[in-house]
Structure formats: C-alpha cells, structure tokens
Amino acid sequence: MPRMASAESSFNEGWTFVWKGFLTTLGTSILQPLRTLREKPTPNYDVNVTPVPAAVSKRTLWLSVLPSLLVLLYPLLVWLPQAPLLGLWLLVWPWVGMSLIFTTMTQVSHVQQSCQPTQAQSGCWTARQIHASLDYSLGAATPMPEQQLVTALAAGLNAQSLHHAMPTLSCAHFPRVYAEYRQICERHGVTIRHSENVGTAVREMLEYVFENNRPVGGA
C-alpha cells in the first residue's frame, strides 16, 4: 500500500489506527453499508473492496442498516432534549464501548510483529495459521482460573492460534486442552506466539503499529 501521508509529513498514522479503533462498529454497521449502497469506493482504494454479495439485494442491505440507525438516533431524539448527559452517554457508549471491545478482540491477535509472515515459514497450512496468531493469558505459568475467565470474556479469541488450528472445537474446551496443544506444537517444531495478558498484547500491538507507521526519517 502507498503511504497515506505525504513524504514530508511528521504525523504517525498509528494515531489514525487508534482513533478509528474507537469507531469501528459505526463503520461496519452504518458507514460501510451506506458506501456500498451508494456504490462508492473504499477509502484509499479505487473500488469498493467489500461490495454487496450478489445474493443480497440493496433493499435487504438497507433493512439491515435500520436497527443501527435506530440505536444512533434514538438517544438524540428521545433522551438528549430532556437529559443531555444521559443522552450523550447513550449516544456515545454503545459505539465507542463496543468498538474498543471489537478492535481489541479482533486485531490484537494478528496485528503483531511476531505474527508477520517470513520466508522461512513452514509450508504447512496449520503451522502458518498458528504462526500468524498471538495468544495471551494461556501461558504455562498462568493460573487455570485466570485462563478460564479470560477465555470466557474473550470468547476464546485469546487462544487465536488454537481457534484457527481447530476451528470446530468449542472455546469452552480451550483452557483444558491448551497445555496438550502446546506440547503437540513443540513436538512438531511450531512456535506459538504468546503474550502474558491482554494488556501486554495491546501494548505490543500498538508498538508494532506505531513503528510500522513511523514517518520516514523520524526518530
């Protein structure tokens, strides 16, 4: 992809990743469908890279956007006039709160330096899936109650490599089978990418994003 900023710019586009992370659900629920309906190109592309599927009519897509529009407009029309602070909270929190959860749960396990492909990577599909994923809160030293709690809260996405390697296995089993899974990987020379917890995983993700977007010639 070409640079988003001009060569002379000192702005780190990592900040774009951060502020958009607060609004991802607004984009996926409303902005992207409306762009598709209006046949507009995806930003930074010449075409719409996520066009409406052939089996989905524009009318159906419009109907799918209506619930999200209701969530967006209801606080503005009903609560904001009579209780401004409550109305503002009900307007902002569903989008910002869910966006942060969505961005963290989906991006932190792949947008990592350690998960990028290399020339030396195995030709095995499953091994590549494992190498392209980051797990957290599932280390050998992590207490089982913590593993179970984080797995439940993250819907199993904290075991992203296991989720990709065995997609039909319910995440309810992840804490119980993870130690054996780790041993199998070690036996076959497959290294699991792992971070201590979600906090360290987010930090490592942001470090990679900001380093990857560091302006040319920047410190």
Side-chain angles (χ1 to χ4, degrees):
M1 287 294 295
R3 285 175 53 84
M4 294 176 63
S6 66
E8 298 78 22
S9 174
S10 61
F11 179 70
N12 191 310
E13 290 290 347
W15 289 111
T16 301
F17 175 85
V18 171
W19 76 257
K20 284 189 174 182
F22 284 80
L23 299 171
T24 48
T25 50
L26 184 66
T28 55
S29 301
I30 296 178
L31 299 182
Q32 187 277 328
L34 291 180
R35 186 184 303 120
T36 299
L37 287 164
R38 296 167 58 226
E39 299 181 359
K40 297 293 184 180
T42 302
N44 303 312
Y45 291 86
D46 296 327
V47 297
N48 188 340
V49 298
T50 53
V52 59
V56 179
S57 67
K58 285 192 174 183
R59 178 178 178 275
T60 300
L61 189 57
W62 264 117
L63 291 174
S64 73
V65 177
L66 291 181
S68 297
L69 289 174
L70 177 63
V71 173
L72 182 67
L73 296 174
Y74 184 79
L76 289 173
L77 300 175
V78 177
W79 290 105
L80 201 62
Q82 55 182 314
L85 290 179
L86 177 59
L88 186 62
W89 170 257
L90 293 175
L91 172 67
V92 172
W93 172 246
W95 301 103
V96 172
M98 296 306 102
S99 293
L100 289 174
I101 292 172
F102 176 84
T103 301
T104 302
M105 293 297 100
T106 60
Q107 303 305 300
V108 75
S109 293
H110 293 297
V111 185
Q112 300 280 355
Q113 177 66 55
S114 62
C115 297
Q116 304 312 303
T118 65
Q119 292 296 324
Q121 226 167 37
S122 168
C124 171
W125 182 89
T126 304
R128 291 200 305 272
Q129 293 293 307
I130 295 171
H131 286 152
S133 305
L134 180 84
D135 298 345
Y136 55 88
S137 297
L138 287 166
T142 307
M144 181 56 70
E146 180 181 339
Q147 293 187 31
Q148 294 170 332
L149 176 62
V150 175
T151 300
L153 292 175
L157 296 183
N158 61 313
Q160 190 75 208
S161 69
L162 178 55
H163 164 67
H164 278 274
M166 292 183 280
T168 58
L169 179 66
S170 168
C171 66
H173 302 294
F174 285 1
R176 179 173 56 84
V177 304
Y178 196 86
E180 183 179 1
Y181 160 72
R182 182 168 55 242
Q183 293 170 2
I184 293 172
C185 288
E186 290 174 355
R187 207 157 54 232
H188 291 272
V190 177
T191 303
I192 297 175
R193 278 67 167 142
H194 188 269
S195 192
E196 185 177 353
N197 53 56
V198 67
T200 57
V202 169
R203 187 194 71 229
E204 291 159 7
M205 174 185 69
L206 292 175
E207 287 174 350
Y208 172 64
V209 168
F210 276 88
E211 175 60 27
N212 212 30
N213 286 277
R214 185 165 53 88
V216 176

